[in-house]
Amino acid sequence: MMERFQYDNRIAKNFMFVTLLWGVVGTLVGLTAAMQLVLPSWNFAEWGSFGRLRPLHTNAMVFAFVGNAIFAGVYYSLQRLLKTRMYSDLLSAIHFWGWQLIIVAAAITLPLGMTTGKEYAELEWPIDIAITLVWVVFGINMFGTILKRRERHLYVAIWFYIATWVTVAMLHIVNSIELPISLTKSYSYYAGVQDALVQWWYGHNAVAFFLTTPFLGLMYYFLPKAANRPVYSYKLSIIHFWSLIFLYIWAGPHHLLYSALPEWAQSLGVVFSIMLIAPSWGGMLNGLLTLRGAWDRVREDPVLKFMVVAVTCYGMATLEGPLLSIKSINAIAHFTDWIIAHVHIGGLGWNGFLAFGMIYWMAPRLYGTKLYSTTLANWHFWLGTLGIIFYAIPLYFAGFFQSLMWKQFTPDGFLVYKNFLDTLLEIQTAYWLRALGGTLYITGILIMMYNIKKTVSTGKLITNEDAEAPAMEAEAAGHSGEHWHRAIEKRPIQMLILSLIVVGIGGVLEIVPTFLVKSNIPTISQVKPYTPLELHGRDIYVREGCYTCHSQMIRPFRSETERYGEYAKAGEFVYDHPFQWGSKRTGPDLLRVGAKYPDSWHYYHMFDPTSMSPGSLMPAYTAMFENELDITTTEKKIEAMRTMGVPYAEDFPAKANDDIVKQRDAITARLKKDGIDAQSDREIIAVIAYLQRLGTDIKSKPVVEISQLP
Amino acid sequence: MLKFIKHHMDTINGIGIYPAISFVLFFTFFVLMLVWLRKVGRDHMDHMAALPINEEFSTLEIEHNDH
């Protein structure tokens, strides 16, 4: 018997519009950050400095732009693939408004410096909780819809949605375990190496399960739709799905090659990363081959153009990713702009272009009309493609050459580029071209917004789209011999559990050993907890996002030990909540910067970096000289550290502020000697205390003098 | 790879069994998946592949052809 029902188009439309809105906002913030890397004067305010805008940019692109695009596509396709309306319009609305509120909260708190200091997970704990709640609402709505479906079998796109939901929930919760000390400040419960491993298990799988699997689901729905032909091989899509979610979860440690992470974990990450080529390319080919026989239409239809470039970029990024996981290649590329280029092939190409293709396809259908202008869409396509090229290619060059400069020695064995800054200034042209690429890309988005606005105004939203489908009949008898996988396709809850087991085993086997086995993190007796003043300084370091440009991880290469000092040991980071290894060096590594310069150098340098390093691109941090250090939180901070196992004496928290006064007076006294009249209650003093402590627990042995030789 | 894992985790008794178990689990899983993919009927695959395209009433007819 046929049943009549209606699809909810309003929710898909809402998510589609905010995708465009946050897409423009997020890319404009990114362009501002790009300009700050060539013109430091663009660091226009304390809240608008690079270290605060860069997390805003990444979070906006990942969770606001891509996130809303996912939801738009899921709400559109899920209803149609299951032949039913969403489970609850109310939950859909809560999901929509909840997610937008989270984005607004992020857009306010990140520039204010409220951050956990863990990349792509910077949002503070109240927002983390809100994300969890909204995610649960989304899950209930999705599974409610799946349960009341009229199509017995779940199409592969829906498997990708399910795996996305399960895994993101797991990643988000495990990585966000924090100890709050106030509404706006918390410490990661993990420290050092463990924190790094959990963070990159999260970070890598955020790429996998937020930027990849949901978009693959969208690809498997919208690409066949736009091409009007079935997916090339449904069998391949099944292999694609299971091997992708199984392999991806293990690959996180490839972000930490040559770091202080135990060797076995690094090797594990490399092996699984290489294996990932197979399913990724299987998926890419499946997408491209879906267009077999329809290539003539690719020439005319902007939707297909966007999708072809998107899938191609997916293929390029997923070949490059495994290659970057090979240690010898990683040794060159890590910490350089090569990685920035790599992620933008994925972000601008794969995510951006697939989202654009989807929106150009969806908008006219939601409004029962035709696209206003194919010409404008083609303009968008070419501007966007040129934007990607101008963005990525200069940065590939920049990354490669800067890395070579870092590693270049004279015949006598000295570094050719002794000053890190010289290598940065060599690649400024590439940074300018990158900003040009970004401008082209954003221009394309603006053209799209105009085009979509015009399209929408010529039509009328089909709020509730009529549809009809037969009711799902009760399971007929005599299905013996039916295979287990086919049975799973009909049972979404089992599917959910199986996905969770698949990704769970990977995560557990990777992470648990570092927690269980003491020998994985050899303790070093000289390594002592931070003094309270240093801890405050560290919190300011985190607040300003210093880790977005400075690593604290010296790899065991001669070029690095020569430049920065003794390479990093796992045991040095046991009191680091959170770890601050960083992932990109726009400035030099800071792990052993302590005691390298006098206090006064840091004082001048933070006030005006160019005074100490002519040509420096670092923002000036004049606000630190005005802001009084808030020492009312000291006791809470030290207590929190004690709770997490940092060995401060039991009576220490209460008298920690005495210690602060002593240490900062010592610093101001040293500054005085260099002719600086500094106020000891300012933030800058704490920052100097922290920077001067960095890496000093382990110092390589002093040079042996002639007289000491036997 | 097992060598790396065992070497670093000597302190856990019989730790080598964990990677072995997970390998067996997943190997079995993938073999079963491939076996199924070889056995599964073309009709079912066509039905699944057509789901996004045949959006208007499709379930019944194809479902019936299927059996």
Side-chain angles (χ1 to χ4, degrees), chain A residues 606-657:
Chain A
M606 296 302 289
F607 191 79
D608 176 12
T610 54
S611 65
M612 294 289 107
S613 311
S616 172
L617 299 176
M618 186 170 123
Y621 287 93
T622 48
M624 286 178 194
F625 295 75
E626 290 154 23
N627 299 342
E628 212 174 296
L629 181 70
D630 177 14
I631 56 169
T632 58
T633 53
T634 313
E635 191 173 342
K636 267 191 179 160
K637 286 183 176 180
I638 302 285
E639 275 297 354
M641 288 293 154
R642 271 178 51 81
T643 310
M644 295 186 291
V646 180
Y648 292 109
E650 201 181 332
D651 58 344
F652 188 66
K655 54 184 192 185
N657 275 338

Side-chain angles (χ1 to χ4, degrees), chain A residues 147-367:
Chain A
L147 290 176
K148 66 167 203 164
R149 68 195 187 276
R150 291 188 178 81
E151 164 59 51
R152 174 161 293 130
H153 296 283
L154 300 182
Y155 182 66
V156 68
I158 301 171
W159 308 5
F160 278 107
Y161 301 158
I162 293 177
T164 299
W165 187 82
V166 174
T167 315
V168 169
M170 176 179 81
L171 296 167
H172 173 68
I173 291 170
V174 173
N175 191 43
S176 299
I177 297 180
E178 300 142 342
L179 190 61
I181 62 153
S182 72
L183 201 61
T184 57
K185 173 76 192 160
S186 66
Y187 290 110
S188 172
Y189 212 89
Y190 317 104
V193 172
Q194 291 169 350
D195 197 35
L197 187 56
V198 173
Q199 159 62 24
W200 284 111
W201 169 78
Y202 162 89
H204 178 72
N205 287 300
V207 174
F209 288 89
F210 208 87
L211 303 178
T212 308
T213 54
F215 263 59
L216 286 170
L218 299 181
M219 176 189 89
Y220 275 119
Y221 179 79
F222 286 99
L223 186 61
K225 266 319 268 172
N228 198 26
R229 50 189 64 224
V231 62
Y232 169 67
S233 164
Y234 195 76
K235 286 186 182 180
L236 185 55
S237 72
I238 294 175
I239 301 175
H240 182 198
F241 174 79
W242 286 110
S243 35
L244 197 79
I245 68 164
F246 168 47
L247 295 179
Y248 241 127
I249 202 81
W250 299 77
H254 70 209
H255 290 258
L256 301 167
L257 298 181
Y258 292 111
S259 73
L261 189 75
E263 185 67 26
W264 64 265
Q266 297 187 28
S267 304
L268 207 64
V270 172
V271 171
F272 278 90
S273 304
I274 301 295
M275 288 197 285
L276 262 175
I277 294 179
S280 303
W281 273 54
M284 173 194 69
L285 292 173
N286 212 2
L288 289 180
L289 288 171
T290 298
L291 294 166
R292 73 204 179 285
W295 282 99
D296 52 318
R297 289 187 38 225
V298 176
R299 223 175 303 155
E300 290 144 24
D301 186 355
V303 171
L304 287 179
K305 282 186 200 177
F306 274 108
M307 288 183 178
V308 165
V309 171
V311 176
T312 310
C313 285
Y314 173 63
M316 294 204 296
T318 54
L319 174 67
E320 190 187 10
L323 294 181
L324 286 169
S325 309
I326 297 171
K327 284 185 105 177
S328 50
I329 298 179
N330 191 273
I332 301 169
H334 194 50
F335 291 133
T336 75
D337 287 296
W338 187 336
I339 307 301
I340 316 299
H342 167 63
V343 300
H344 281 84
I345 293 287
L348 301 174
W350 164 239
N351 295 117
F353 269 35
L354 195 71
F356 300 148
M358 179 183 89
I359 291 172
Y360 278 124
W361 187 87
M362 208 161 71
R365 281 163 181 82
L366 289 175
Y367 281 82

